[in-house]
Amino acid sequence: MIGPAVLTLIVFSLYPLVYSIALSATDSQLARPFREFIAFKNYTDAARDALFGNSLVLTFIYAFGVTAIETVIGFGLALLLNRESGPTRFARTLGLLPFITPPVAIAAIWRLIYDPSSGMLNHYLVRAGILEQNVAFLGVPGLAMASVMLVDIWQWTPFVFLLSLAVLAGLPHEPYEAAAVDGANGWQQFIHITLPLCLPGVLIIAILRLIGAMKVFDLVFMLTFGGPGSSTQVASFYIYKTAFQQFKTGYASAMTIIVIVILSVLVTLLTALYRRVQAKYGP
């Protein structure tokens, strides 16, 4: 049984990676793969490509920004609703809605909400006196990235909330009973017991979200298509445009390999951080 499992792993995991590495060493076009061997030229071109560099910066801003906000809000909500009651069960059910809603539907809904002429967001902000006139949230460079990030936060904060509830449910009762006997109040219990014990679990949740956010594509594709200009052109979207609009599949493969290497280094560093936190605060 091990043989088929290893073969499946090779076919579905290693083959695409090896294919991309081979493609990145050639001057391939979409209709003419492996056209000419050019060694590392695509990598040197990528290192000098200002648009690619900018897309990597935007990807990091997006990923770290949404991960930080989603972790704080999701964990905070879990602390507030960490009890068995009707509202808590309702909140858990509500938290499942983003997972069962297709990303395309989510993007379509938010395009309607952001609509500059008839969108709900403009309507209420103008009515409340916060805005003097309607704003094209997805059409202004300074607002477009923040608007896409808001949709991501809306979509994935319930994921952090549900996993944080699971972390809180697994905490031992003995430290709280001992702290109560010693006269510790709720804030002191949170700072000295809840937060240290939850830190490894919350950190691994944040790492999972960060990895997911680094791969963002669907929201950018549906909401802004990388615009206005290149203000929301994250790395995955820039690679897509290079491969399927400019047909430079060899160059796109080289950029893909660079992104994979960056992600691998980042995940390795975060995993090392998690192990240190786990060794210090874990059970």
Side-chain angles (χ1 to χ4, degrees), residues 12-47:
F12 288 100
S13 298
L14 293 183
Y15 176 74
L17 181 61
V18 172
Y19 185 86
S20 294
I21 292 173
L23 209 61
S24 69
T26 64
D27 185 25
S28 296
Q29 301 291 315
L30 186 60
R32 299 179 62 187
F34 303 105
R35 190 173 64 169
E36 180 185 355
F37 180 74
I38 56 174
F40 298 102
K41 184 177 183 304
N42 282 327
Y43 292 94
T44 56
D45 289 346

Side-chain angles (χ1 to χ4, degrees), residues 269-280:
L269 293 175
L270 291 173
T271 304
L273 174 64
Y274 167 75
R275 287 175 178 163
R276 292 187 63 178
V277 171
Q278 174 71 11
K280 186 174 183 178

Side-chain angles (χ1 to χ4, degrees), residues 37-72:
F37 180 74
I38 56 174
F40 298 102
K41 184 177 183 304
N42 282 327
Y43 292 94
T44 56
D45 289 346
R48 292 193 295 263
D49 189 340
L51 285 176
F52 179 55
N54 184 63
S55 72
L56 287 174
V57 172
L58 290 176
T59 302
F60 274 92
I61 292 173
Y62 180 94
F64 279 92
V66 298
T67 299
I69 296 172
E70 289 165 8
T71 302
V72 170

Side-chain angles (χ1 to χ4, degrees), residues 45-213:
D45 289 346
R48 292 193 295 263
D49 189 340
L51 285 176
F52 179 55
N54 184 63
S55 72
L56 287 174
V57 172
L58 290 176
T59 302
F60 274 92
I61 292 173
Y62 180 94
F64 279 92
V66 298
T67 299
I69 296 172
E70 289 165 8
T71 302
V72 170
I73 296 177
F75 184 62
L77 288 173
L79 287 171
L80 292 173
L81 299 173
N82 183 31
R83 57 182 64 87
E84 281 299 327
S85 63
T88 302
R89 287 190 288 271
F90 177 72
R92 290 173 182 169
T93 305
L94 202 63
L96 294 174
L97 285 179
F99 300 115
I100 61 177
T101 306
V104 174
I106 290 174
I109 291 168
W110 279 90
R111 280 189 70 90
L112 293 174
I113 292 173
Y114 284 140
D115 189 275
S117 57
S118 60
M120 182 178 69
L121 187 59
N122 270 307
H123 172 76
Y124 285 108
L125 290 179
V126 171
R127 191 171 181 179
I130 299 174
L131 294 178
E132 293 182 357
Q133 59 185 6
N134 289 358
V135 173
F137 290 98
L138 299 176
V140 178
L143 293 175
M145 178 58 85
S147 300
V148 178
M149 291 171 70
L150 178 61
V151 179
D152 191 292
I153 292 166
W154 175 85
Q155 182 181 7
W156 288 104
T157 296
F159 169 81
V160 179
F161 162 66
L162 292 174
L163 292 187
S164 297
L165 276 178
V167 171
L168 290 170
L171 295 182
H173 297 288
E174 293 80 4
Y176 294 95
E177 294 170 356
V181 171
D182 292 338
N185 58 34
W187 176 250
Q188 290 170 326
Q189 291 183 19
F190 171 72
I191 293 295
H192 298 291
I193 300 176
T194 305
L195 204 54
L197 290 177
C198 287
L199 193 55
V202 173
L203 183 58
I204 199 67
I205 295 170
I207 292 173
L208 290 174
R209 268 308 299 138
L210 182 66
I211 294 171

